[in-house]
């Protein structure tokens, strides 16, 4: 985990369980338009999502932890490119559960399953 310049961030890291690390890395790189750096560790490989000075997270091979019906719902940043992210999500094997919709004064989101079957949300401040 990296240091965060904003100590008021409540989320400091997240792990997304995956069955196929290569497929998931390609999915998240395309949907979020970011780099995913694969690393090897004694326990196995994992993929770190590029995060610069923001909240970071990684893809961990843990098929038994994948859940489409509940668990933590992570809102991922697709600000200014929400429609492109949803289109890419569908091209990469994801499935939209709730199409783009307003969430009051907090912008817009779409809820979907990723390429591995995890429930995720894509968020944008504007419907773009």
């Amino acid at each position: 985990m990296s240091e965060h310049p904003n100590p008021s961030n409540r989320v400091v890291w997240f792990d997304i369980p995956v069955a196929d690390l290569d497929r998931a890395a390609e999915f998240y790189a395309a949907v979020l338009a970011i780099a995913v750096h694969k690393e090897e560790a004694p326990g196995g490989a994992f993929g770190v999502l590029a995060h610069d000075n923001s909240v970071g997270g990684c893809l961990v091979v843990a098929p038994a932890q994948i859940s489409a019906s509940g668990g933590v719902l992570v809102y991922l940043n697709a600000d200014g490119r929400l429609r492109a992210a949803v289109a890419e999500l569908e091209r990469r094997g994801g499935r939209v559960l709730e199409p783009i919709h307003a969430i009051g004064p907090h912008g817009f989101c779409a809820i979907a399953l990723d390429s591995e079957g995890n429930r995720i949300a894509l968020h944008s401040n504007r419907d773009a």
Side-chain angles (χ1 to χ4, degrees):
M1 289 182 228
S2 60
E3 290 217 13
H4 297 285
N6 184 349
S8 66
N9 283 344
R10 296 297 151 230
V11 176
V12 297
W13 190 263
F14 57 88
D15 289 343
I16 299 174
V18 304
D20 183 319
L21 183 57
D22 291 329
R23 177 180 62 206
E26 288 179 16
F27 175 89
Y28 280 99
V31 170
L32 299 177
I34 61 169
V36 176
H37 175 72
K38 286 195 268 181
E39 295 188 20
E40 293 288 333
F46 58 95
V48 178
L49 282 70
H51 55 278
D52 298 319
N53 291 323
S54 64
V55 173
C58 70
L59 308 172
V60 294
V61 179
Q65 295 179 16
I66 294 170
S67 174
S69 61
V72 176
L73 179 59
V74 178
Y75 284 72
L76 300 171
N77 186 357
D79 199 33
R81 53 176 302 281
L82 184 56
R83 293 189 181 280
V86 168
E88 196 62 47
L89 175 136
E90 293 178 311
R91 275 194 289 279
R92 300 286 176 156
R95 182 169 58 98
V96 174
L97 299 175
E98 295 179 30
I100 296 170
H101 59 279
I103 49 175
H106 306 290
F108 297 83
C109 77
I111 306 211
L113 295 180
D114 71 3
S115 62
E116 306 303 296
N118 294 296
R119 190 173 59 115
I120 61 171
L122 298 173
H123 176 267
S124 178
N125 288 311
R126 59 187 187 277
D127 182 10

